[in-house]
Amino acid sequence: MSEFTYTITAEDKDLAIKQILRQRFQFSARMRNKIKREKLVYLNGEQIPGWITAKPGDVLEIRLPEETSDFIPEDIPIRTVYEDSSLLIINKQPGIVVHPTKGHPQHTLANGIMKEMLDRGQSFKIRFMNRLDMDTSGIVAVAKNSHCQASFMKQSQAGLVEKRYLAIVKGLVKEDQGTISLPIGQPDPERVERAVVEGGSPSVTHYQVLDRFRAGYSLVELSLETGRTHQIRVHRAAIGHPVVSDHLYGESNPFLIERQALHARKLAMLHPVTGEPVSFEAELPEDMANLLEKLR
């Protein structure tokens, strides 16, 4: 269960606990109502109503409602990068879908997380804060409560979330760094492919070349200002440097690697509970590491 604590200060001495809850915590009105309804407010370890006042030095503790998910538990390896009572950060392996869909109702990351949760005797609702394509590896962040998910969304909208990716792309990219600003849309609603289209959603990708290889490939680091579906893949293909083995966007090369050579390397944000900056990194998977060795 996630817990939030706050030490009462001299400035709080005339405030009721419910006022402190509203002013000192970033909970939504909906969450505050849940906390009140389920009596999850504690002062110095004792459950209390919201109308009383506290004295400086008292410790206010807010517990969030217990929830759980109902995904079918499956024995799928979960590579944990970081975990606390509010966040679960995973290094997703390639070839696995993040959550169940019509096409992939089982055998997903969510099913693996569900089994690990039950095995540990934990209970939380699995809320994905970001998504990766099936064949993209790297950082996937899970919020263990709605407050953390809402905080992440607010931070994303305010430009406070940093996402960095590594991609091996076809061709020798001339510029050491640059920005791709091209609108992305879905030409055919019946197909998964996206494309650069007039009137599409504004989409911005920044890139920096980390290495170039004589065989005619480049290693680039990318960061996103926007988070459109397939954004990196569409933008790289649009400028003539598609991600290696990205068959959906015209670059199939299974002799080099069997999936698109794209990895979500880093995620940085403010921790939803402490407000402190946190940064998470995922090791490059074996197939991309092997490809880089070949190219070098």
Side-chain angles (χ1 to χ4, degrees):
M1 175 185 288
S2 295
E3 297 180 357
F4 295 73
T5 58
Y6 175 76
T7 301
I8 305 298
T9 69
E11 295 177 1
D12 304 318
K13 63 184 179 67
D14 295 324
L15 297 177
I17 294 299
K18 63 181 180 181
Q19 291 174 296
I20 295 173
L21 185 62
R22 190 161 51 243
Q23 294 180 21
R24 307 293 188 231
F25 297 85
Q26 300 297 315
F27 298 130
S28 65
R30 188 176 184 181
M31 178 59 76
R32 287 199 304 270
N33 287 335
K34 275 189 178 181
I35 291 168
K36 179 182 177 182
R37 188 167 58 249
E38 298 188 26
K39 300 179 180 178
L40 298 174
V41 181
Y42 293 76
L43 191 67
N44 300 326
E46 294 187 11
Q47 193 179 67
I48 57 162
W51 51 264
I52 72 166
T53 57
K55 62 181 184 297
D58 285 348
V59 177
L60 180 64
E61 177 188 329
I62 311 298
R63 301 179 185 177
L64 297 189
E66 282 201 17
E67 300 176 292
T68 192
S69 290
D70 57 0
F71 298 114
I72 297 170
E74 293 185 62
D75 190 10
I76 295 170
I78 301 300
R79 302 167 182 174
T80 301
V81 173
Y82 172 86
E83 184 174 14
D84 62 21
S85 61
S86 301
L87 298 174
L88 172 62
I89 311 297
I90 295 166
N91 183 0
K92 183 183 90 67
Q93 59 269 50
I96 186 168
V97 175
V98 170
H99 63 92
T101 63
K102 284 185 180 179
H104 296 88
Q106 288 182 236
H107 316 310
T108 72
L109 199 63
N111 299 110
I113 295 170
M114 191 73 196
K115 182 179 187 306
E116 190 158 291
M117 182 201 309
L118 294 175
D119 287 348
R120 292 182 178 184
Q122 296 179 341
S123 178
F124 59 87
K125 191 167 184 177
I126 300 168
R127 294 176 164 93
F128 289 104
M129 299 194 294
N130 70 314
R131 309 283 173 93
L132 296 180
D133 301 331
M134 180 174 75
D135 286 330
T136 298
S137 57
I139 292 284
V140 171
V142 177
K144 292 185 176 181
N145 56 67
S146 60
H147 168 75
C148 291
Q149 185 182 42
S151 172
F152 183 83
M153 290 175 65
K154 286 179 183 176
Q155 290 185 52
S156 296
Q157 292 165 359
L160 299 175
V161 175
E162 178 187 1
K163 299 177 184 177
R164 291 191 177 272
Y165 299 76
L166 289 178
I168 303 168
V169 302
K170 187 176 182 180
L172 297 176
V173 181
K174 291 181 181 178
E175 303 82 5
D176 288 341
Q177 57 187 26
T179 296
I180 308 167
S181 181
L182 296 169
I184 293 176
Q186 188 174 11
D188 184 349
E190 299 298 317
R191 298 178 64 85
V192 70
E193 291 96 326
R194 267 55 172 183
V196 171
V197 295
E198 190 175 345
S201 300
S203 308
V204 180
T205 305
H206 304 287
Y207 68 89
Q208 179 178 359
V209 177
L210 302 182
D211 208 347
R212 296 180 178 89
F213 308 102
R214 291 180 181 177
Y217 298 91
S218 302
L219 173 65
V220 295
E221 182 183 65
L222 308 111
S223 60
L224 303 179
E225 271 192 32
T226 52
R228 313 302 175 199
T229 299
H230 298 177
Q231 179 173 319
I232 288 173
R233 299 165 64 189
V234 172
H235 273 175
R236 296 311 311 179
I239 65 169
H241 295 290
V243 177
V244 171
S245 285
D246 190 350
H247 65 88
L248 195 61
Y249 294 103
E251 214 299 297
S252 184
N253 200 333
F255 297 106
L256 286 178
I257 189 170
E258 294 182 353
R259 53 103 179 185
Q260 69 250 15
L262 181 60
H263 177 68
R265 184 178 74 102
K266 178 181 178 182
L267 175 69
M269 58 187 286
L270 300 178
H271 193 287
V273 177
T274 67
E276 294 295 316
V278 288
S279 180
F280 310 106
E281 294 198 24
E283 285 186 358
L284 201 64
E286 187 177 3
D287 59 354
M288 281 185 67
N290 288 342
L291 175 54
L292 288 176
E293 285 299 313
K294 284 182 190 176
L295 296 175
R296 288 182 177 126

